[in-house]
Amino acid sequence: MTDTAIATPRRIGDNDALVARRYRAERRFKFYGIAAIAVTAVFLMLLFADVLVKGLPAFTEHRLTLPIKVDQAAIDPQNSKDPKIIRTGDFDSPIRRAFRDLFPEVTTRGDRKKLMGLLSSGAADDFRAMVMRDPALIGQDAKVPVLLSDDADQYLKGRQTGVEKFPGQGTMTVTPEGEQFKLTSDGVALPSPGDIIRMNGGAFRVLSLSNAALLAEQVMAPKTPAPAASGAWDIVRFTVPENNRRIDDQEALWLEHLKEQGIAESNIAWRFFTSGDSREPELAGIRGALMGSILTLLVTLFLCLPIGVAAAIYLEEFAPKNRFTQIIELNINNLAAVPSIVFGLLGLAMFLNFFGLPRSAPLVGGLVLALLVLPTIIIASRAALRAVPPSIKEAALGVGASHQQAVFHHVLPLAMPGIMTGTIIGMAHALGETAPLLMIGMVAFIVDIPTGFTDAATALPIQIYLWSDLPEIAFQSKTAGAIIVLLAFLFVMNAAAIMLRKRFERRW
Amino acid sequence: MDAMIKTPVAPSAPRIAREKPLKIKARNVDVYYGDKHAINDLSIDIPDSAVSAFIGPSGCGKSTFLRSINRMNDTIPSCRITGNVEIDGRDIYDKTLDVVQLRARIGMVFQKPNPFPKSIYENVAYGPKIHGLAKNKAELEEIVVTSLKKAGLFEEVKDRLDHSGTSLSGGQQQRLCIARAIAVNPEVILMDEPCSALDPIATARIEELIDELRQNFCIVIVTHSMQQAARVSQLTAFFHLGNLVEVGDTDDIFTSPRDKRTQDYITGRFG
């Protein structure tokens, strides 16, 4: 027999290696996907954690609660109860007086000035507002909230230095030694250089250790030079050296005292939401920026929604399909990809320089953002209109509805959730947009809260940008706090968009 | 109308065309989709108060011709029609004719049930509303109820007229679409494969319904099922590759087709 090699036809299932390779490829692909998601999730978590850690302190503030007699003579001598007169009353001195009374040992001019520096320069505002709200307080004793300065606030939030305290063991004796003091204790736990020893209402900073004695300098003078018994003195250790923080040891000790006495307490800083920008971090809030953003977005919405939807309906349903409409479509898609700063320049050239509209106004900001968002809305609306099954329109045409009736009675209502989703996402985009607003002068230090469309205003992202540039530590947390608010708004808007989509999707 | 009845009909014309008045008259109709020649020189007479069925393999132009009767093809930009289609002697491609009014006079039922995603009531009431057929709510309700009754759906949905039309079963949806079509009291009802998405029981119900509706309407139905054509129609037209191959009484077409292609098709040799 001639050996004609007839190849056996290969059967599926013979090739185990192929199957194994396919499995490997699939596993690999799955792994890549999970890895990509994991990396994204980690970065996102890091971002949020960072923003939250930095920003959450912005939502609290430290206030003193001081008992103050609301003095008739200083505030409303004629007992007129007229808000205008009350407003001009002296609210500052009573606070200073009450605060000074907490530290009777502070007597020198320099120390007093330093002590007063712990209070916010706007400390009297709350007191004034309180009395204006309730004139019956005049002549009475009141518990007045007094805002601390940003540095004091930051210290109490633990953002300047860590603080450790150890109770003193054994009796501590102080003996003057030239300019310095010699501290001796019969206890065991001995402080290290840099620590503060508090005793008898005074404080000493340890300079060096020699044998069983400590060489120290006086930070605050004690009331008596007598030895302090075990438990009557303590050691305070700041983890950050004095030179590296904005609150020195003396101020820190005052604040520790206020905290220990329960006079300084942390409260929710509603001020952050109710006041405008300020040069003083503790007084600065996002209300102005928020109002600016809201006014700007209102302009944008009122321009974009009707124009965008009308354009989408026309282009999608009525426009003849010819070269001209193709060019328009192409350019709408291109516009969506134009860098936003270009829209800002356009706004500057057109709305400010040509039309002479007011600078820094939400009106102009809204116009510019409208230009920016319009393509997004048109594209989203067209997609939503296109997603409505043609059978619905045919059904309407079939019972004798005109094209326009079919579109407005059936297609548009069905497309509305999609249009709304697109609009909300466009608005969220506009809310976060910064660059074009810079160009039209919405980047400015504006204290007043805007009330109209032509008032000077800034917007939330711009406020973030402005604050991030400032040196004060307190503004760093304000920046992050404002970012949290901005993100919260974006989340709410996007969640609304998703809800709309889920709620109404596929009703046919 | 009278003039129409007296129109002399050739002795070779289908019996049904002699018994019933002429409703739709098409002469030398050509339809193009862009470069594609979808229908080639078609002429047909469709009688009133009867069911006419268009059969033929896929892509033979039967749906295209159906959609030319109520000018639904106008919505396709690339579509071009020449020739003459008359309903009751009136050219429907006449420039002065309002296409929307025309479509109200010619109802259409589509292949896939396409109720509006609104309530059952709204579905049926929409047509009468936009055409002002009802003076008040009571009249409108009357129209809705009668239409649903005529479509044989009323008993099943009378307790849930406010439910969404899309919540019904496929067969019910299709009957709802028929109710919606007859609510505007059209003269002609075009049905484009109305049962192709339905199960046999739902199909049987629709076929029964078509048979009842034939008393009052001129019905034109496109179908893939030759059995269906044989069951419901009186006149059958066989389309092939854009040509109207043969038209005649349903009984004749299915028992003694004159054309070889018709014979091949109905005996299942192709298609």
Side-chain angles (χ1 to χ4, degrees):
Chain A
M1 280 294 283
T2 42
D3 189 33
T4 41
I6 299 165
T8 337
R10 291 169 90 179
R11 290 249 166 76
I12 291 172
D14 284 356
N15 204 338
D16 287 345
L18 197 71
V19 174
R21 204 165 68 206
R22 178 160 57 81
Y23 277 8
R24 271 203 307 281
E26 281 165 7
R27 264 200 305 276
R28 211 159 48 229
F29 181 73
K30 200 170 157 190
F31 170 75
Y32 292 152
I34 292 170
I37 287 172
V39 168
T40 317
V42 165
F43 277 112
L44 209 60
M45 298 275 267
L46 282 176
L47 175 76
F48 284 140
D50 183 54
V51 169
L52 281 178
V53 166
K54 282 199 186 130
L56 285 180
F59 298 101
T60 58
E61 64 187 11
H62 281 84
R63 288 198 291 259
L64 308 174
T65 311
L66 298 179
I68 294 175
K69 185 167 162 49
V70 187
D71 190 12
Q72 175 97 48
I75 289 163
D76 189 13
Q78 273 86 46
N79 194 18
S80 62
K81 304 262 190 266
D82 182 356
K84 276 188 200 128
I85 292 177
I86 295 176
R87 189 192 298 277
T88 57
D90 179 12
F91 293 92
D92 218 28
S93 334
I95 288 179
R96 289 167 161 272
R97 219 174 303 127
F99 187 49
R100 210 161 50 214
D101 289 349
L102 292 176
F103 298 95
E105 71 278 11
V106 178
T107 47
T108 64
R109 209 177 124 74
D111 283 353
R112 280 192 172 176
K113 199 167 173 218
K114 203 154 138 193
L115 184 64
M116 287 309 147
L118 295 179
L119 296 185
S120 164
S121 59
D125 295 350
D126 289 340
F127 186 22
R128 181 180 293 118
M130 185 175 157
V131 175
M132 301 260 301
R133 228 180 5 252
D134 185 9
L137 284 173
I138 296 172
Q140 311 247 329
D141 284 317
K143 296 251 177 236
V144 177
V146 176
L147 187 65
L148 286 172
S149 74
D150 58 319
D151 286 334
D153 183 53
Q154 289 294 308
Y155 172 79
L156 288 174
K157 282 172 181 166
R159 293 176 66 81
Q160 299 246 355
T161 170
V163 184
E164 292 169 72
K165 289 180 198 167
F166 312 97
Q169 286 172 351
T171 310
M172 177 66 80
T173 329
V174 183
T175 42
E177 204 176 83
E179 288 267 292
Q180 297 171 338
F181 294 83
K182 196 167 148 192
L183 279 71
T184 44
S185 161
D186 52 9
V188 268
L190 274 175
S192 46
D195 288 358
I196 308 277
I197 293 179
R198 295 198 294 185
M199 58 183 289
N200 298 337
F204 299 91
R205 186 185 300 112
V206 177
L207 296 173
S208 63
L209 288 104
S210 59
N211 302 331
L214 305 165
L215 207 57
E217 59 179 351
Q218 183 177 293
V219 182
M220 286 193 282
K223 283 178 195 131
T224 69
S230 182
W233 62 280
D234 65 351
I235 303 164
V236 179
R237 181 178 295 159
F238 297 116
T239 52
V240 175
E242 191 177 22
N243 293 340
N244 292 355
R245 50 187 146 91
R246 291 174 57 84
I247 290 279
D248 68 14
D249 284 350
Q250 190 179 11
E251 291 167 317
L253 290 169
W254 283 332
L255 290 168
E256 283 302 324
H257 175 73
L258 289 169
K259 194 160 110 185
E260 283 159 9
Q261 299 291 308
I263 298 169
E265 277 179 322
S266 175
N267 291 287
I268 293 176
W270 295 113
R271 195 187 313 276
F272 186 62
F273 298 101
T274 56
S275 57
D277 198 5
S278 169
R279 285 288 177 228
E280 304 299 329
E282 74 274 13
L283 295 174
I286 54 166
R287 173 87 176 276
L290 211 54
M291 277 308 289
S293 272
I294 290 171
L295 291 171
T296 306
L297 284 192
L298 277 179
V299 175
T300 307
L301 184 66
F302 277 99
L303 282 173
C304 268
L305 192 58
I307 296 178
V309 173
I313 292 174
Y314 181 74
L315 282 174
E316 192 59 35
E317 296 287 345
F318 297 101
K321 302 276 175 280
N322 56 28
R323 185 164 289 270
F324 181 65
T325 50
Q326 266 173 5
I327 288 172
I328 288 180
E329 272 176 40
L330 190 71
N331 280 305
I332 288 172
N333 291 335
N334 283 340
L335 273 184
V338 168
S340 54
I341 190 99
V342 175
F343 285 101
L345 283 167
L346 177 72
L348 175 65
M350 200 166 84
F351 299 128
L352 295 188
N353 295 346
F354 187 72
F355 288 116
L357 291 174
R359 196 167 288 272
S360 308
L363 174 67
V364 182
L367 285 167
V368 170
L369 291 182
L371 292 178
L372 186 75
V373 174
L374 206 48
T376 316
I377 292 189
I378 293 177
I379 292 168
S381 303
R382 290 191 63 179
L385 288 167
R386 214 173 305 141
V388 175
S391 67
I392 299 289
K393 197 165 86 183
E394 281 193 335
L397 294 177
V399 292
S402 69
H403 189 176
Q404 190 178 330
Q405 282 171 329
V407 169
F408 281 91
H409 294 171
H410 297 286
V411 179
L412 188 58
L414 288 173
M416 223 50 205
I419 293 175
M420 281 322 191
T421 306
T423 307
I424 292 171
I425 287 171
M427 286 294 123
H429 178 189
L431 175 63
E433 198 53 72
T434 322
L437 301 183
L438 298 179
M439 301 309 300
I440 54 146
M442 283 185 90
V443 53
F445 173 67
I446 293 159
V447 176
D448 292 333
I449 290 158
T451 51
F453 292 106
T454 50
D455 289 359
T458 165
L460 205 43
I462 305 251
Q463 188 70 74
I464 291 169
Y465 167 74
L466 287 171
W467 279 348
S468 70
D469 234 15
L470 296 174
E472 286 90 342
I473 311 168
F475 271 126
Q476 285 178 15
S477 72
K478 293 270 169 185
T479 307
I483 290 175
I484 292 175
V485 173
L486 182 65
L487 286 181
F489 270 95
L490 293 179
F491 277 143
V492 168
M493 287 168 95
N494 284 341
I498 291 168
M499 296 260 286
L500 265 177
R501 200 156 55 204
K502 281 261 174 277
R503 171 86 178 72
F504 292 103
E505 94 186 326
R506 280 203 46 84
R507 289 203 307 173
W508 42 87
Chain B
M1 279 287 280
D2 285 348
M4 221 56 55
I5 297 165
K6 284 171 200 148
T7 310
V9 183
S12 65
R15 277 190 315 283
I16 186 79
R18 275 174 274 155
E19 286 163 14
K20 305 281 184 179
L22 177 67
K23 189 71 185 175
I24 304 167
K25 184 171 117 184
R27 289 292 175 268
N28 311 104
V29 175
D30 285 83
V31 181
Y32 306 85
Y33 291 123
D35 294 335
K36 188 175 175 270
H37 198 169
I39 291 180
N40 181 19
D41 192 28
L42 179 146
S43 298
I44 190 170
D45 291 335
I46 294 172
D48 201 358
S49 306
V51 179
S52 308
F54 294 171
I55 60 170
S58 295
C60 64
K62 52 195 190 304
S63 285
T64 300
F65 179 61
L66 191 79
R67 294 168 65 93
S68 306
I69 298 175
N70 68 347
R71 290 183 57 179
M72 213 56 158
N73 280 336
D74 289 13
T75 57
I76 301 166
S78 66
C79 183
R80 197 159 51 81
I81 296 174
T82 61
N84 195 329
V85 182
E86 287 176 7
I87 292 181
D88 291 341
R90 175 88 201 266
D91 181 8
I92 63 163
Y93 285 92
D94 185 355
K95 291 266 185 299
T96 62
L97 181 124
D98 179 37
V99 66
V100 172
Q101 292 290 325
L102 173 80
R103 290 201 195 116
R105 283 168 53 205
I106 306 174
M108 188 154 191
V109 177
F110 297 85
Q111 182 170 3
K112 198 168 150 276
N114 57 353
F116 300 129
K118 298 184 175 184
S119 73
I120 294 170
Y121 183 92
E122 284 285 318
N123 259 286
V124 184
Y126 179 68
K129 250 192 225 166
I130 57 169
H131 295 295
L133 294 183
K135 284 193 199 70
N136 51 44
K137 272 216 169 109
E139 265 189 42
L140 188 62
E141 200 168 329
E142 172 78 29
I143 293 175
V144 171
V145 171
T146 357
S147 307
L148 284 170
K149 276 184 181 156
K150 277 191 203 157
L153 189 63
F154 185 68
E155 287 304 315
E156 291 160 58
V157 300
K158 64 182 171 191
D159 300 325
R160 46 178 176 141
L161 290 178
D162 55 336
H163 284 42
S164 171
T166 49
S167 67
L168 299 173
S169 75
Q172 287 173 326
Q173 285 191 15
Q174 196 61 297
R175 275 180 282 148
L176 179 62
C177 292
I178 294 175
R180 181 177 65 192
I182 59 187
V184 291
N185 200 19
E187 299 159 31
V188 181
I189 301 177
L190 306 176
M191 297 188 176
D192 192 356
E193 298 179 38
C195 302
S196 63
L198 304 182
D199 65 65
I201 294 169
T203 302
R205 291 232 41 185
I206 302 271
E207 285 179 6
E208 260 172 56
L209 177 60
I210 292 171
D211 206 48
E212 284 163 26
L213 293 175
R214 143 169 92 91
Q215 312 304 326
N216 305 313
F217 303 95
C218 164
I219 296 177
V220 183
I221 178 170
V222 164
T223 176
H224 264 300
S225 153
M226 282 171 286
Q227 291 85 343
Q228 186 172 59
R231 283 193 298 265
V232 300
S233 72
Q234 288 77 51
L235 184 90
T236 297
F238 173 65
F239 286 67
H240 186 235
L241 299 176
N243 295 306
L244 176 61
V245 174
E246 189 171 348
V247 59
D249 287 303
T250 300
D251 300 341
D252 296 346
I253 291 274
F254 282 98
T255 51
S256 52
R258 289 187 301 262
D259 195 283
K260 176 91 170 49
R261 285 169 293 181
T262 318
Q263 189 173 6
D264 286 350
Y265 183 71
I266 62 173
T267 52
R269 253 181 239 156
F270 72 92

